Structure formats: C-alpha cells, structure tokens
Amino acid sequence: MSDLFQAPDYYNLDDLLTQEHIMIRDATREWVKRSISPIIEESCQKAVFPKHIIPELASIGAFGPYIPLEYGGAGLDQISYGLIMQELERGDSGIRSTASVQSSLVMYPIYKYGNELQRKKYLPKLASGEKIGCFGLTEPNYGSNPSDMETHFKEMDDHYVLNGAKMWISNAPFADLAIVWAKNEKGRIHGLIVERGMEGFSTPETHNKWSLRASATGELVFDNVKVPKENLLPNKSGLTAPLGCLDSARFGIAWGAIGAAMDCYDTALRYAKERIQFDKPIGAFQLQQKKLAEMITEITKAQLLTYRLGQLRNQNQATSPQISMAKRNNVDMAMTVAKEARQMLGGMGITGEYPIMRHMMNLESVVTYEGTHDIHLLITGLDITGLNAFK
Ligand code: TGC
Ligand code: FAD
C-alpha cells in the first residue's frame, strides 16, 4: 500500500522552524517514504532488521546528527536531531532505535567521554555506517537500577579482563562494537569499548519478540574478555556517564514518539473520511470525531513540549527531569493515540495493510526502554519534592 502520510501541524509549528530544520525534516520524511514504508511491514513480519538501509541512514545524516563535522557527524542542532528521530519513528520505532543507539548511546559517549585518539578512530566510521555500535547497560538482574550492575573488570598489565552479561541490547546481534558499562575493582562504573572478535565476547540474539520486530535485540556475554587499556573511556566515570547518554537518547525518543502518533492519527483521519457505515463516512459520527479531536490535541501539546525542550537543549539548559517528563508524556500519548486509531479502523486496524498495530506493538518497548513510564514519573517526583521514592 502506498504511503500517503501527511504530517499534522495544527498550531503552525513549522513557522518556528528554520529553513534548515524544514529541509532536514522533509528530506528524512521523503527517505522514509521511499526506503522504509515499502519494506517495513515485511521486515517486521519476518523479524529482521533491514541491514541494507545502514548506508542510506548514514547518508541522510541519521548517525550522529549533532556530532561535529570534523568527526564525521552532521554538526546539526538538537531540534534537527529531534526532527530526524520523529521522521524515522514515523516509519518505525525500530529504525529510530538503530539511529538513536548509534548516535546517542555510541557516538555521544565516545565524543564526550573518549580521548582524541578514540574519537578519530571510531567516530567517522560510525557516522558513515561502516561500523555499527550498541550500548550495554541493562543486565539480567539490574534493569531500572543499573547502579547495582554486576559486570566488572580487573586491571592487568596492558589490558583489562571483563566478565559479566548484558541483556536486551538493541543492535547487539550485528554490532561491530559495544559501549559496555562495567565496574572496576573499586566498584566505580566505567565505559569500555568492546569490539566484535575479542575472545570470550559473544552476542546471542533475543528471539520471539512481539514488539520492535524490525530491530535486532540481543545479549552481550563477556567471558574473561581481554580489553586493551586504550579502550577505556577516560573522561567520565560513575553512573552519571551512562545516564548522560540516556538524556540524549531519551530526548530523541520524545520526538520519535510524536512521529509514531502522527502516523496513527493521519491513517485514522484518512480512513474516517473514506469508510462508509450507515450511509455516512464514519468520521461524521461524533464518537469518531471525539477520538480524532483528542488525538490532534495531544499530538499538538507534545509537539510544543518537545520544541521547547529542543530550544533548552540547544542552550545547554535542559535538565534530566525535563527530558524524563517529555519522554514519558510523549510515549504515553503515542500509545493512547495508537490504541484509539486502531479501534477506528475496525477489523482493518489489526492487519498489516495499515501501520497502526505495528506502531502500537513497538511502543510497548519504547515505553519500557530508556527508563520505564514509572521510573520517569519517579524522576519527576524526586525533582519536585526533593524526596527519593526509588528506594
Ligand atoms: P541516583 O543515586 O539517583 O543517581 C546516581 C548519579 O547519577 C546522577 N543522575 C544523572 N546524571 C546524568 N544524567 C541523568 N539523567 C541522571 N540521573 C541521575 C545523579 O545525580 C547521581 O549523581 P552523583 O554525582 O550524586 O552520584 O541513582 P539510582 O541508582 O537511585 O537510579 C536513578 C535512576 C532510577 C533515575 C536511573 O538509574 C535510571 O534512569 N534508571 C532507568 C534505567 C534506564 O533508563 N536504562 C536504560 C538502558 S539503555 C536503553 O534502554 C536503550 S534502548 C535504546 C533503543 O533501542 O532506542
Ligand atoms: P525492571 O527494572 O525489572 O522493572 C519491572 C517493573 O518494575 C517496571 O514496570 C518498572 O517501572 C517497575 N519498577 C522498577 N523499579 C521501581 C521502583 N523503584 N518503583 C516503582 N516501580 C519500579 N538496555 C540497554 O542497556 N541497552 C539497550 O540497547 C536496550 N535496548 C532495549 C531494547 C528493547 C526492545 C527492550 C525491551 C529493552 C531494551 N533495553 C536496553 C533494556 C531497558 O532499558 C530495560 O528493559 C528497562 O530499563 C527496564 O528494566 P527491566 O526490563 O529490567 O525492568
């Protein structure tokens, strides 16, 4: 089925964007129509990540949009980054996942916490898609509370010996390298660059997912892996280091979720005008109009929240709790929009003829990863009361 997507802009938000923003957004939108829409249903049904799109994602600037040009990035601002994530997730959350992991969870820590040698060695190849990375924080026994992680490394003469396991890692099955968060002998968390081919390092794939099926997920297993000392990220340690990467990725997800919601809304709106029941388009019934009116209201509110957050990020003034609020609100909004839109399509809503059910299933992962819905609420709770309700 051809992709007829038309983006809703109820409050003329395009007027707030620069020409460059609009150009980048439209170019990504066109690429999604051309390269993702025709293949995504089959990728999801078959549960395979379409690897052939990697060079194309690189060429549209989706790998490291805000990483400086000198390291191969696109040198763009945060709103451009957000718009790219929005458009990719309009195509599919799994495609956005691949781009946001590569950008915010692999390139960002190397850029921010790495030394110049590491930046020069890895960033251009990650930007061009020649190398794909993944990010290992979550463990089988430690998801929401990564500070208790068990993965650890010991210092030897010219290398470290790494042991442990990570779980639920996007891109792991085919990644060339992993940014792995592990504790040293003093219990301090550090980031290590672990490369495919290092002895004792394996990446088994996680099968039978009902969600994010076009994204490959796997484990990272470390069995006495010898990691050269030059692979430790030297410029930041402690839990704040991985959490800093998550701020950037969560910001991208806040924009991405709007893309998924826009696609569901747009599909339902078109269907409501075309589908005739009781001699009328179903869009003429008040109950269906209520659904559509509430969807566009919530999408518009999310767009405004996210645009302002983008301005704050551009000024380096966005706080982590502000990012949590946007991630939580927008993903929840997108889930509600998807659920209502699916019902509006009746039986057709459950088929792969339309994208809604796929978005709905994907969002079940998006609401959980990068901090669950509940965890982000607790982050807001802590921020406004000063009282920690995690423990
Ligand atoms: P807590 O004691 O509160 O904090 C420890 C230190 O971290 C600081 N901090 C942050 N720093 C930078 N950015 C943030 N967002 C930060 N949030 C907290 C904090 O100030 C403190 O610093 P210091 O100097 O005092 O030591 O730590 P806690 O153990 O109580 O846990 C806090 C909590 C629950 C907020 C945090 O651990 C959390 O966010 N949990 C959720 C875990 C999570 O999001 N995992 C994501 C894994 S990656 C992933 O899902 C990728 S999916 C990718 C895709 O496919 O798109
Ligand atoms: P748990 O932490 O066990 O939480 C279970 C439930 O308990 C949740 O509802 C949670 O909100 C609730 N809960 C936990 N603590 C509290 C509390 N203090 N108060 C109230 N409720 C609480 N991780 C990576 O490191 N890298 C990746 O690339 C990555 N990709 C992923 C891809 C997919 C498809 C998925 C599903 C996950 C991915 N993750 C990744 C892992 C993800 O970040 C974790 O699943 C998430 O952080 C939650 O951890 P958990 O699954 O262990 O749930």
Short mmCIF file of all heavy atoms in Angstrom, two decimals, residues 75 106 120 145 160 163 169 199 247 251-252 302 355 359 367 386:
data_model
loop_
_atom_site.label_atom_id
_atom_site.label_comp_id
_atom_site.label_asym_id
_atom_site.label_seq_id
_atom_site.Cartn_x
_atom_site.Cartn_y
_atom_site.Cartn_z
N GLY A 75 26.91 17.87 12.45
CA GLY A 75 27.08 19.20 13.05
C GLY A 75 25.79 20.00 13.18
O GLY A 75 25.81 21.22 13.14
N VAL A 106 26.29 5.51 21.41
CA VAL A 106 27.61 5.01 20.98
C VAL A 106 28.51 6.20 20.59
O VAL A 106 29.57 6.42 21.19
CB VAL A 106 27.48 4.00 19.83
CG1 VAL A 106 28.85 3.50 19.40
CG2 VAL A 106 26.60 2.82 20.27
N LYS A 120 38.90 9.97 16.89
CA LYS A 120 39.34 9.90 15.48
C LYS A 120 39.23 8.47 14.94
O LYS A 120 38.95 8.25 13.76
CB LYS A 120 40.79 10.38 15.37
CG LYS A 120 40.94 11.86 15.67
CD LYS A 120 41.75 12.55 14.58
CE LYS A 120 41.55 14.04 14.53
NZ LYS A 120 42.36 14.78 15.51
N ASN A 145 17.58 -0.32 38.00
CA ASN A 145 18.61 0.12 38.95
C ASN A 145 20.01 -0.28 38.50
O ASN A 145 20.67 -1.12 39.12
CB ASN A 145 18.32 -0.43 40.35
CG ASN A 145 18.26 -1.96 40.36
OD1 ASN A 145 18.06 -2.57 39.31
ND2 ASN A 145 18.45 -2.57 41.51
N TYR A 160 42.50 -5.01 30.41
CA TYR A 160 41.54 -5.34 31.47
C TYR A 160 40.92 -6.68 31.14
O TYR A 160 40.84 -7.06 29.96
CB TYR A 160 40.43 -4.29 31.54
CG TYR A 160 40.90 -2.88 31.77
CD1 TYR A 160 40.80 -1.92 30.76
CD2 TYR A 160 41.45 -2.51 32.99
CE1 TYR A 160 41.23 -0.62 30.97
CE2 TYR A 160 41.89 -1.20 33.21
CZ TYR A 160 41.78 -0.27 32.19
OH TYR A 160 42.21 1.02 32.39
N ASN A 163 34.24 -9.48 32.75
CA ASN A 163 33.31 -10.60 32.94
C ASN A 163 31.92 -10.07 33.26
O ASN A 163 31.79 -9.04 33.91
CB ASN A 163 33.78 -11.49 34.09
CG ASN A 163 34.85 -12.47 33.64
OD1 ASN A 163 34.57 -13.41 32.89
ND2 ASN A 163 36.09 -12.22 34.06
N ILE A 169 19.85 -5.79 24.49
CA ILE A 169 20.69 -4.77 23.89
C ILE A 169 20.36 -4.60 22.39
O ILE A 169 20.58 -5.52 21.59
CB ILE A 169 22.19 -5.12 24.09
CG1 ILE A 169 22.48 -5.40 25.57
CG2 ILE A 169 23.07 -4.00 23.53
CD1 ILE A 169 22.09 -4.28 26.54
N GLU A 199 38.27 -12.28 22.04
CA GLU A 199 37.99 -13.63 22.53
C GLU A 199 37.13 -13.60 23.79
O GLU A 199 37.37 -12.79 24.69
CB GLU A 199 39.33 -14.33 22.83
CG GLU A 199 39.25 -15.82 22.67
CD GLU A 199 40.58 -16.47 22.95
OE1 GLU A 199 41.62 -15.89 22.56
OE2 GLU A 199 40.57 -17.53 23.58
N ASP A 247 20.15 10.78 28.59
CA ASP A 247 19.47 12.07 28.41
C ASP A 247 19.32 12.38 26.92
O ASP A 247 18.27 12.82 26.46
CB ASP A 247 20.28 13.21 29.06
CG ASP A 247 19.95 13.36 30.54
OD1 ASP A 247 19.07 12.64 31.04
OD2 ASP A 247 20.60 14.20 31.20
N PHE A 251 15.74 12.21 24.86
CA PHE A 251 15.29 13.41 24.12
C PHE A 251 14.86 13.00 22.70
O PHE A 251 13.80 13.42 22.21
CB PHE A 251 16.45 14.43 24.07
CG PHE A 251 16.22 15.58 23.14
CD1 PHE A 251 15.37 16.62 23.49
CD2 PHE A 251 16.86 15.65 21.91
CE1 PHE A 251 15.15 17.69 22.63
CE2 PHE A 251 16.65 16.71 21.04
CZ PHE A 251 15.80 17.74 21.40
N GLY A 252 15.66 12.16 22.06
CA GLY A 252 15.32 11.69 20.70
C GLY A 252 14.03 10.89 20.70
O GLY A 252 13.21 10.99 19.76
N ALA A 302 2.20 17.68 22.68
CA ALA A 302 3.51 17.01 22.70
C ALA A 302 4.51 17.73 21.80
O ALA A 302 5.70 17.87 22.14
CB ALA A 302 3.36 15.55 22.26
N PRO A 355 -0.35 0.83 9.27
CA PRO A 355 0.80 0.75 10.18
C PRO A 355 0.45 0.76 11.67
O PRO A 355 1.34 0.64 12.51
CB PRO A 355 1.57 2.03 9.83
CG PRO A 355 0.53 3.00 9.37
CD PRO A 355 -0.53 2.18 8.69
N HIS A 359 2.89 0.09 15.05
CA HIS A 359 3.32 1.17 15.96
C HIS A 359 2.92 0.82 17.40
O HIS A 359 3.68 1.03 18.34
CB HIS A 359 2.67 2.50 15.58
CG HIS A 359 3.28 3.15 14.36
ND1 HIS A 359 4.63 3.43 14.24
CD2 HIS A 359 2.71 3.61 13.21
CE1 HIS A 359 4.87 4.04 13.08
NE2 HIS A 359 3.73 4.14 12.43
N VAL A 367 8.01 2.36 25.66
CA VAL A 367 7.57 2.81 26.99
C VAL A 367 8.42 2.18 28.09
O VAL A 367 8.48 2.68 29.21
CB VAL A 367 6.06 2.53 27.20
CG1 VAL A 367 5.79 1.04 27.45
CG2 VAL A 367 5.49 3.37 28.33
N GLY A 386 12.03 16.74 46.08
CA GLY A 386 13.33 16.55 46.73
C GLY A 386 13.37 15.24 47.51
O GLY A 386 14.35 14.95 48.20
#
